[in-house]
Amino acid sequence: MEVGQMQRTWVEYTKSLFREGFLDGQFTQLQLLQDESNPDFVVEVVSLFFEDSERLLNDLTRALDQQIVDFKRVDAHVHQLKGSSSSIGAQRVKNACIAFRNFCEEQNSEACLKCLQQVRQEYCLVKNKLETLIRLEQQIVAAGGSIPIEELSFQGYKVKL
Amino acid sequence: MEEEEEQQKHEQASACDSNGTPIHVLAVDDCFVDRKIVGKLLEKASFKVTSADSGKKALEILGFSQDKVEKSSYNDQKIDIILTDYCMPEMNGYDLLMAVKGNSNVKSIPVVIISSEYDPQRISRCLANGAEDFLRKPLQHKDLQKLRSYVKPSAPVPKTGTKRKVMLELIPESGTAETRPRIAGVAVA
């Protein structure tokens, strides 16, 4: 596939991720922070997010599996996951965490378990999407092209120079 | 060419003190993802960054020593401003603020708190106890300009109308006043 076609695919795919709410403007901020001095910045941050999230999801599973659930601990884990997902622009994960925290406050075990399932699902979805996006970016760069961030216009927002 | 050089000087000065030295930020956050993002945001805006993953580590960097027998040398790393997350285990941002403001050797260092949560009581408690500001996460480029102002409040502000780098912004097409995501980016005006 030639570079121009790959770039067009990247633009459309990225737009779809924003349209479907997987990502928000914070992700674009990360992309704009990437430069020649740190060309793998987005990959590094996203990888950290994956590691962090998987650890937290495991911690949450263990915490909710206890005979007596420590909802304060559960809430602390969800708060962390909400924070990191917000920081990278993983909007649907963030929103799922917000709902989760409400049930932590109510100390509702059953609802919390359902929320954990939901958060895990959203996480798996966005992980899959981000891995695809990063692969596309790497293919563009390997073919000598650049990522056309300035061509993004999405979700009621336009890129203003 | 002359205008470009002047513009570059302006930009370098944007995160520098009156001697042209980059403003040194101590960025404190227990979240690795946030430390990386904030660190990059600050570095890209020409701040010098030292990161700490806890309030305890931040105090060590500032020169607080557990060994009270020997006198520590406070702030030998010459931190100009502390930017700390509020929610951290063991020692949160408020605790760090109080430790800094309670020590005559470092209390003059401005402290800015950041948090993903909007809690008016938390905010007013921090501001009442010496925090310069309380900013919402995720940090945006406009917040960095505030940091500069807390370090050198009398620093000249770029005049409007002169050539300067502008922010690459995401703006709602509807032009609504709702909070909108902002992105850091540069373009020559």
Side-chain angles (χ1 to χ4, degrees):
Chain A
M1 201 189 289
E2 52 99 25
V3 171
Q5 178 59 44
M6 283 194 275
Q7 287 172 324
R8 282 189 291 277
T9 304
W10 180 89
V11 169
E12 287 314 309
Y13 189 69
T14 306
K15 282 185 186 179
S16 73
L17 295 184
F18 285 102
R19 218 168 25 241
E20 292 162 30
F22 287 106
L23 298 177
D24 62 27
Q26 186 59 24
F27 185 75
T28 309
Q29 178 163 15
L30 295 192
Q31 291 176 308
L32 287 166
L33 286 176
Q34 185 162 288
D35 56 26
E36 301 81 36
S37 69
N38 197 177
D40 297 320
F41 175 72
V42 173
V43 171
E44 287 168 7
V45 172
V46 167
S47 301
L48 281 172
F49 169 68
F50 290 162
E51 280 171 33
D52 211 35
S53 302
E54 278 157 36
R55 176 184 59 82
L56 287 167
L57 287 169
N58 288 338
D59 289 345
L60 280 165
T61 304
R62 266 197 298 277
L64 286 171
D65 204 30
Q66 300 301 306
Q67 195 86 324
I68 297 169
V69 175
D70 181 350
F71 285 99
K72 213 169 165 185
R73 192 182 189 89
V74 172
D75 184 68
H77 291 322
V78 181
H79 169 77
Q80 278 192 283
L81 185 53
K82 189 198 91 170
S84 57
S85 57
S86 172
S87 293
I88 73 143
Q91 187 175 244
R92 279 163 60 155
V93 176
K94 179 190 79 175
N95 291 341
C97 288
I98 291 171
F100 197 156
R101 291 193 79 192
N102 291 335
F103 290 114
C104 289
E105 211 175 304
E106 291 178 16
Q107 304 205 355
N108 185 333
S109 287
E110 204 176 307
C112 281
L113 279 164
K114 284 189 179 141
C115 283
L116 175 58
Q117 206 177 3
Q118 183 67 21
V119 169
R120 196 189 297 277
Q121 195 178 316
E122 290 299 343
Y123 166 71
C124 289
L125 283 170
V126 81
K127 183 179 181 200
N128 186 272
K129 306 283 181 190
L130 285 171
E131 284 173 338
T132 302
L133 188 68
I134 286 168
R135 252 194 319 271
L136 269 170
E137 290 181 359
Q138 288 171 340
Q139 283 166 6
I140 290 169
V141 169
S146 61
I147 312 302
I149 300 229
E150 65 285 350
E151 291 193 34
L152 288 180
S153 176
F154 55 86
Q155 200 83 32
Y157 291 91
K158 57 186 178 187
V159 174
K160 176 190 161 194
L161 292 173
Chain B
M1 178 60 98
E2 217 174 295
E3 273 186 42
E4 274 179 30
E5 282 174 357
E6 183 141 355
Q7 190 175 313
Q8 275 173 13
K9 279 183 197 169
H10 227 353
E11 289 148 21
Q12 283 164 3
S14 69
C16 296
D17 61 18
S18 51
N19 296 320
T21 312
I23 291 171
H24 191 176
V25 181
L26 174 57
V28 192
D29 200 317
D30 63 312
C31 174
F32 205 163
V33 171
D34 286 348
R35 278 205 309 281
K36 190 154 177 86
I37 294 172
V38 168
K40 183 68 179 174
L41 190 64
L42 289 166
E43 279 170 6
K44 211 163 164 83
S46 304
F47 289 85
K48 180 180 171 184
V49 186
T50 295
S51 292
D53 61 4
S54 67
K56 184 180 167 191
K57 182 70 186 172
L59 291 179
E60 282 172 23
I61 291 168
L62 289 167
F64 286 65
S65 174
Q66 286 186 345
D67 180 355
K68 292 183 174 37
V69 174
E70 285 183 27
K71 192 178 176 212
S72 341
S73 90
Y74 286 95
N75 201 17
D76 59 356
Q77 293 200 37
K78 300 204 182 342
I79 302 293
D80 294 310
I81 183 165
I82 300 165
L83 180 66
T84 177
D85 185 28
Y86 185 94
C87 294
M88 296 187 291
E90 292 177 21
M91 177 180 253
N92 66 24
Y94 176 76
D95 298 330
L96 177 58
L97 168 71
M98 296 304 281
V100 169
K101 295 304 171 186
N103 186 304
S104 56
N105 295 286
V106 295
K107 72 177 184 181
S108 62
I109 302 175
V111 180
V112 172
I113 316 271
I114 52 173
S115 177
S116 56
E117 296 181 325
Y118 179 76
D119 183 325
Q121 272 189 326
R122 182 187 288 182
I123 295 170
S124 44
R125 189 171 70 140
C126 288
L127 295 177
N129 284 285
E132 299 298 323
D133 207 339
F134 196 107
L135 304 173
R136 289 294 296 277
K137 272 184 172 184
L139 217 62
Q140 305 296 328
H141 202 95
K142 63 177 164 61
D143 298 321
L144 305 185
Q145 294 169 6
K146 288 186 186 180
L147 293 188
R148 183 179 71 88
S149 72
Y150 297 137
V151 173
K152 26 176 199 151
S154 56
V157 176
K159 293 178 194 167
T160 50
T162 56
K163 277 201 173 185
R164 65 185 190 281
K165 280 195 175 179
V166 296
M167 292 303 110
L168 182 66
E169 286 191 38
L170 286 174
I171 57 171
E173 287 178 327
S174 62
T176 57
E178 68 204 22
T179 304
R180 51 183 189 263
R182 283 181 175 270
I183 53 176
V186 290
V188 176

